[in-house]
Amino acid sequence: MLSPLILISVVLNGLLTGAVYALVALGLTLIYGVLHIINFAHGALLSAALFAAFFAYQKLGLDPYVAAFLLAPAFFAFGYALQRFIIGPASHGDDRNMLLITLGLAVFIENALLYAFHADTRTIDLAYGFKSIDFGFTFLAVPRVISFAAVFFVALALWLIMALTDTGKAIRAVAKEKLGAELAGIDVAHIYAMTFGLGTACVAVAACLLIPTYYANPRAGNAFVLVAFTVVVLGGMGSVPGALIGGLVIGVVESLAGFYFGESLGQVGIFLIFIVVLLLRPRGLFGASA
Amino acid sequence: MKALLLIAIAVAVFAAVPLVVHSNVVLNFLVVTLMIALAGQGWNILGGYGGQYSFGHAAFFGTGAYVTAILQVEYGVNAWIGFAAGIVAGAAVGAIIGGLAFRAGLRSSYFALVTLAFAEVLRILASVAPITGAGVGLLVKLDLRAQSFQFQSRAIFYYVILALVAVSLVIAQLLERSRFGTWLIAVRENEDAAMALGVDAFAVKLGAMVLSAAVTAAAGCFYVQYFLFIDSGIAYGTWISIEALLTPIIGGVGTVFGALVGALVVKSLGEGAKLVTGDVPGLDLMIYGAVLIVVIRFAPRGLVGAFTDARERLARRFAAPRPPVREAVRG
């Protein structure tokens, strides 16, 4: 019989992983909520951000947690430009085209990274990288605890932006009623790009939180984003609290499934949840209606 | 009739190539290109004519490939029967995924996601299950006899895949002419309106999915016979899902020749890039991604669409003014 303490530590570790899933999912759900498309380039952008965080440390000696304050605005600008100058004009206002463009971007970015940096896996060594906190019955890695806290900070910041700023109001208006917002004088192309920028900034922060314990590699982001799709579907497309709770739930499920059935089947578990939720309740468990 | 003649001419031109060119490199390139064109034509039936964009056609390609390989390797079944069984199995997987997804009413982003997820589940399962050779993959025994669907000469393989592509072109042409195809296009243009007119959208989409899966599965079966090897990364990898949608979109979605034209362009670009810079991993796919974006930006109906537009514009300029026939039919 397994000690319940082991189970608790498995669950706690799941929650820590889940927080990062939640952050990646937050970016996805934000974009879906406003643009009504799934951003298939999200994973490639995460890989790119992981490389950026890696090189910020390697070449400039920037601690990832400091780099986050530089990379978030940089990726915001990058995301803004992508939507404004590539995705928007190229999609001719058709959802299917927009999907394809984000897929094209994903393929392009991922393979540009592969071309430039090869398939090598790169890690950084930080003094605190392997430090952990002793809770008596379990150890939790310091960087993962920090990232857990940071995710909630980012979520709060996003919520404040959405609730208090004019841009946030405009984003919510466009999400609710695009035509009405346009008639009220809101520049929809600009708001789309702002939203895409915010979603991309989330990815940059997630990369900075991940890099101390994870690695940079051209496909590193994909693993997270397939999970993030699941989180977003589970939490309800476009729902921010849904993304947070969904992320934590998936983190715990993966941790438990991995513990009982081994790594690769744990992944299958996530996909099965994903497919079942999609088929039975595509609005998600926390059902923010479309 | 004119369209069928066009197909016959295209096939005849391709058929003449081995008589002139004896280079194995060129033939190999054409075999792979035609195989991708076949997979792409499968995608085109569902995506181009039906408007349902699947991001997981690897599910069908891989199932066709694995069933062909497993039946031969594990059960000693004749390769030709394995080939046919692979196509049937691919169609069955299409029926299952399509049945579930369309019953749940998934459209657009959701449909793309669920197809992607099914392909990934199959990939992970194939990478651990013993029957698929798990991480090692399956090797089909070398046996260069026609009854084993293996040929000494590449030219014969080339004619086999050319014949399969020819069939897929005829299927697309018949689709355009048939009642079923008209229903399918109606669903693509406006599903609710089509249903209001009495079209059973679920049945039509499901039928298109099964046909689409069967054609793409045939490409997977051919892959196994040609390379005599399959593993989970090749069979269910994202590369084939991407190439299957890339070719018709670049060539022209919902056109008979779109996938063939797209495959020629895409593969030539990929090979061309390799000639210039050497075989650097990532370069060819990088170019595919860029081409996909550029084509959607500047020629949303693909190269075939851009060509017909240009021809009509020229015709309008030089000939006496006449009613724009195509628009009338479409509108």
Side-chain angles (χ1 to χ4, degrees):
Chain A
M1 192 56 206
L2 289 163
S3 135
L5 285 180
I6 296 182
L7 209 59
I8 291 176
S9 100
V10 171
V11 170
L12 277 178
N13 267 299
L15 285 175
L16 295 187
T17 316
V20 181
Y21 290 159
L23 184 54
V24 179
L26 214 56
L28 261 185
T29 212
L30 200 64
I31 293 170
Y32 186 87
V34 179
L35 281 76
H36 301 292
I37 53 130
I38 289 165
N39 174 21
F40 279 92
H42 216 59
L45 287 169
L46 180 58
S47 305
L50 282 164
F51 270 104
F54 172 82
F55 283 116
Y57 179 77
Q58 199 77 344
K59 302 274 184 230
L60 307 174
L62 279 180
D63 187 280
Y65 299 125
V66 179
F69 290 94
L70 291 175
L71 288 183
F75 271 75
F76 173 82
F78 184 51
Y80 184 95
L82 277 183
Q83 169 62 33
R84 186 93 207 216
F85 303 116
I86 296 183
I87 305 172
S91 62
H92 309 284
D94 180 284
D95 278 3
R96 283 192 293 241
N97 281 344
M98 229 193 258
L99 272 185
L100 289 173
I101 301 273
T102 63
L103 183 73
L105 278 176
V107 174
F108 180 81
I109 295 172
E110 183 181 312
N111 289 287
L113 291 172
L114 183 65
Y115 181 66
F117 306 122
H118 308 291
D120 313 339
T121 290
R122 293 159 203 245
T123 54
I124 62 175
D125 290 317
L126 289 164
Y128 51 81
F130 289 99
K131 284 235 175 72
S132 52
I133 310 172
D134 185 355
F135 284 90
F137 61 93
T138 184
F139 293 92
L140 295 177
V142 171
R144 280 156 56 87
V145 175
I146 293 175
S147 70
F148 187 79
V151 167
F152 285 91
F153 175 74
V154 172
L156 182 71
L158 261 185
W159 182 77
L160 287 175
I161 291 175
M162 296 301 256
L164 300 180
T165 65
D166 283 347
T167 304
K169 269 184 209 150
I171 290 176
R172 283 184 292 140
V174 172
K176 276 226 170 65
E177 177 52 56
K178 186 181 143 198
L179 189 63
E182 207 163 8
L183 289 174
I186 292 173
D187 181 355
V188 171
H190 171 70
I191 291 301
Y192 271 12
M194 289 296 279
T195 311
F196 206 91
L198 282 175
T200 312
C202 285
V203 159
V205 177
C208 293
L209 297 175
L210 278 172
I211 196 75
T213 53
Y214 200 60
Y215 53 84
N217 159 319
R219 300 195 204 294
N222 290 357
F224 280 88
V225 165
L226 282 166
V227 176
F229 283 151
T230 316
V231 169
V232 168
V233 165
L234 191 69
M237 293 274 188
S239 152
V240 169
L244 280 178
I245 299 170
L248 297 177
V249 169
I250 290 292
V252 172
V253 167
E254 185 195 42
S255 182
L256 286 173
F259 181 67
Y260 284 113
F261 309 115
E263 263 327 274
S264 57
L265 285 183
Q267 256 194 321
V268 171
I270 291 183
F271 280 116
L272 289 181
I273 294 179
F274 175 61
I275 290 172
V276 168
V277 173
L278 256 188
L279 294 178
L280 298 183
R281 200 178 152 77
R283 283 192 295 121
L285 297 181
F286 303 96
S289 60
Chain B
M1 236 35 249
K2 202 183 132 205
L4 284 179
L5 190 69
L6 213 56
I7 293 174
I9 293 172
V11 171
V13 170
F14 271 97
V17 170
L19 307 178
V20 186
V21 182
H22 297 286
S23 152
N24 263 342
V25 179
V26 173
L27 274 189
N28 184 50
F29 167 76
L30 286 174
V31 167
V32 172
T33 302
L34 288 175
M35 185 183 76
I36 296 301
L38 184 62
Q41 189 71 306
W43 189 94
N44 191 29
I45 290 169
L46 181 69
Y49 291 103
Q52 313 297 314
Y53 283 17
S54 152
F55 282 13
H57 256 51
F60 316 129
F61 180 89
T63 302
Y66 267 125
V67 168
T68 307
I70 289 170
L71 284 179
Q72 289 179 74
V73 176
E74 312 271 339
Y75 300 100
V77 175
N78 175 277
W80 291 88
I81 297 172
F83 200 99
I87 295 176
V88 172
V93 170
I96 294 168
I97 298 177
L100 289 170
F102 295 138
R103 186 59 79 199
L106 300 182
R107 294 182 188 182
S108 184
S109 285
Y110 286 102
F111 182 72
L113 260 185
V114 84
T115 46
L116 179 81
F118 270 110
E120 276 295 295
V121 167
L122 288 171
R123 186 182 62 78
I124 296 170
L125 289 179
S127 71
V128 291
I131 194 163
T132 54
V136 189
L138 285 175
L139 269 169
V140 176
K141 214 167 69 212
L142 188 69
D143 178 17
L144 294 173
R145 290 181 304 167
Q147 61 258 47
S148 309
F149 207 128
Q150 294 179 28
F151 312 100
Q152 189 87 51
S153 120
R154 263 180 223 279
I156 300 179
F157 267 118
Y158 175 79
Y159 285 120
V160 170
I161 190 68
L162 181 60
L164 287 168
V165 169
V167 169
S168 81
L169 291 175
V170 172
I171 288 175
Q173 175 57 33
L174 292 179
L175 204 60
E176 283 192 357
R177 291 265 153 224
S178 70
R179 178 172 294 233
F180 175 76
T182 314
W183 287 337
L184 188 60
I185 292 168
V187 167
R188 174 188 73 191
E189 294 300 324
N190 189 332
E191 190 166 335
D192 297 323
M195 281 164 79
L197 289 173
V199 175
D200 183 349
F202 173 77
V204 168
K205 286 193 285 185
L206 187 60
M209 182 99 166
V210 170
L211 186 59
S212 164
V215 172
T216 300
C221 302
F222 180 84
Y223 183 98
V224 165
Q225 290 314 118
Y226 188 62
F227 291 103
L228 298 177
F229 174 74
I230 196 75
D231 69 15
S232 60
I234 297 170
Y236 291 122
T238 41
W239 72 279
I240 185 68
S241 293
I242 289 169
E243 292 196 3
L245 73 84
L246 196 62
T247 46
I249 284 171
I250 287 177
V253 273
T255 61
V256 173
F257 289 102
L260 183 57
V261 171
L264 278 170
V265 170
V266 163
K267 283 287 161 194
S268 308
L269 280 173
E271 289 303 311
K274 276 182 192 165
L275 282 183
V276 174
T277 59
D279 195 355
V280 193
L283 185 66
D284 49 348
L285 281 167
M286 197 173 126
I287 292 172
Y288 296 171
V291 169
L292 178 62
I293 296 169
V294 169
V295 166
I296 295 174
R297 172 72 179 87
F298 296 105
R301 294 200 299 120
L303 297 176
V304 173
F307 176 73
T308 22
D309 285 351
R311 202 180 55 186
E312 274 170 18
R313 219 172 299 139
L314 275 181
R316 225 171 289 154
R317 185 171 299 166
F318 292 114
R322 56 175 185 186
V325 179
R326 195 176 46 76
E327 268 80 359
V329 171
R330 281 199 139 209

